[in-house]
Amino acid sequence: MSTRRATISDVAREAGVSPSTASVVFSGKTPTSEATRARVLAAAQSLGYTGPDPRAASLRRGRSGIVGVVFDQHLGTAFLDPVTTHMMDGLADGVSRLGAALLLLRDDGETVSEPSLHTAPIDAAVLIGCSPRMRDSLEIVRGRGIPVVVVEGDAGEGIPRVLLDNTEAQSAAAEHLAGLGHRDVVLVTLPIDTSRRRGWIASDEVVRVDVTADRLAGARRVFPDAPALAAATSSIDEGAIAGRTLFADPANRPTAVIAQSDLLAAGVIRAAEEAGLRVPDDVSVTGFDGVVVDGLAPHVLTTLVQPATAKGRAAGEAVAAMLEDAVPSGLRLSCTFREGTTTAPPRTT
């Protein structure tokens, strides 16, 4: 019994039309009469033909039909952050007109797995600038001659970038706290380099992750001497670890904490409550992202709402433009300050 897959020629023969006519019925690129369309679709159904083989189309185009998205950590960890999920939704929308699939790649500089960024059959790559590995990943992709788009990172000359106003947005949160009267403020940051080291950031230390550096600069426009404590990743647990350090000494606690993500802020609030502090009466906390964080109720976080879905969509549209031999345009997106219930004037006693 033959298991040969039916072809468009078989469908055309069955329907009594030319192969080119049968082909345009499936492509939709040229109008056909309803009668012809119905005859071709009926023939296809009887033969079990579901459409052109996508592998053949990819070979004709000289492409794989795959766009790689590079993460520098375990994918399960990356997708615990709602920002990642929203951004991936937008990215999928952005490349949809290509009919392309997304391939998630892990490039942490240590894990050896296939396909890798060195070998994956991808037509283009999207690199996330908050990754400490971004610069190394960029060199790999450029070495392969693959089009690349960077989200929130300095990729150098000629690389399309999707940017967020991280510095200005973080300044808005800092100015809000300053306006309330806070002076004793501590910053809890995203990772500062590939080591993902937790701990205090020295005044002369180089922050190698663009997003972290930009948000740090924004806060220090308002609080230039504010100490900064680095977290290993953006998570509630990491925020709690940082918060326990900040609130360990009752005689030396800040009146406000600026966290560089909502997840970190939620962890700081958890640590504050563990220490017997009330938010915002005893300590104010701000976040960054504007996502829904489980377990934060009854608090409504004071934060910067970023357009994560639009950010991903812009990256996808830039990829599509490059693969269609068009000139992609960089896009700068803005955050919106949202005052919640986690900030208030500092205690006067």
Side-chain angles (χ1 to χ4, degrees), residues 126-329:
V126 176
L127 306 183
I128 314 302
C130 54
S131 162
R133 282 273 304 168
M134 190 204 70
R135 289 176 177 80
D136 295 327
S137 300
L138 180 63
E139 289 306 310
I140 296 170
V141 174
R142 295 183 75 171
R144 293 183 60 185
I146 295 171
V148 59
V149 174
V150 169
V151 179
E152 290 190 87
D154 183 3
E157 191 69 27
I159 302 296
R161 295 187 292 164
V162 179
L163 299 176
L164 196 63
D165 62 339
N166 285 298
T167 301
E168 294 79 5
Q170 193 69 91
S171 286
E175 288 165 359
H176 168 70
L177 291 173
L180 292 172
H182 289 278
R183 299 294 179 267
D184 187 4
V185 178
V186 173
L187 318 175
V188 175
T189 79
L190 294 166
I192 63 171
D193 56 29
T194 56
S195 72
R196 294 184 175 272
R197 175 189 62 81
R198 298 188 190 104
W200 295 105
I201 302 173
S203 59
D204 59 348
E205 194 163 0
V206 177
V207 177
R208 300 187 181 280
V209 181
D210 293 312
V211 173
T212 306
D214 290 346
R215 294 182 187 178
L216 191 59
R220 283 186 167 157
R221 281 182 179 177
V222 182
F223 300 109
D225 300 319
L229 184 62
T233 191
S234 176
S235 71
I236 294 176
D237 287 345
E238 282 293 322
I241 291 170
R244 289 175 191 130
T245 298
L246 301 182
F247 306 131
D249 181 3
N252 190 30
R253 289 169 172 165
T255 65
V257 178
I258 296 175
Q260 288 192 350
S261 78
D262 287 350
L263 295 182
L264 289 172
V268 169
I269 291 172
R270 176 189 293 175
E273 292 173 344
E274 288 175 357
L277 302 175
R278 293 173 298 169
V279 175
D281 297 338
D282 299 315
V283 61
S284 290
V285 181
T286 68
F288 199 117
D289 290 330
V291 297
V292 176
V293 180
D294 292 336
L296 192 58
H299 301 291
V300 177
L301 188 63
T302 296
T303 189
L304 289 312
V305 182
Q306 68 154 300
T309 304
K311 186 169 66 175
R313 185 179 297 110
E317 290 173 350
V319 165
M322 295 173 77
L323 293 178
E324 291 170 344
D325 297 324
V327 178
S329 56

Side-chain angles (χ1 to χ4, degrees), residues 4 8 23 28 37 40 74 98 115 172 223 231 239 241 259 297 311 326 335:
R4 184 179 72 86
I8 195 69
S23 180
R37 176 178 171 79
V40 169
H74 191 280
L98 297 172
F223 300 109
I241 291 170
K311 186 169 66 175
C335 300

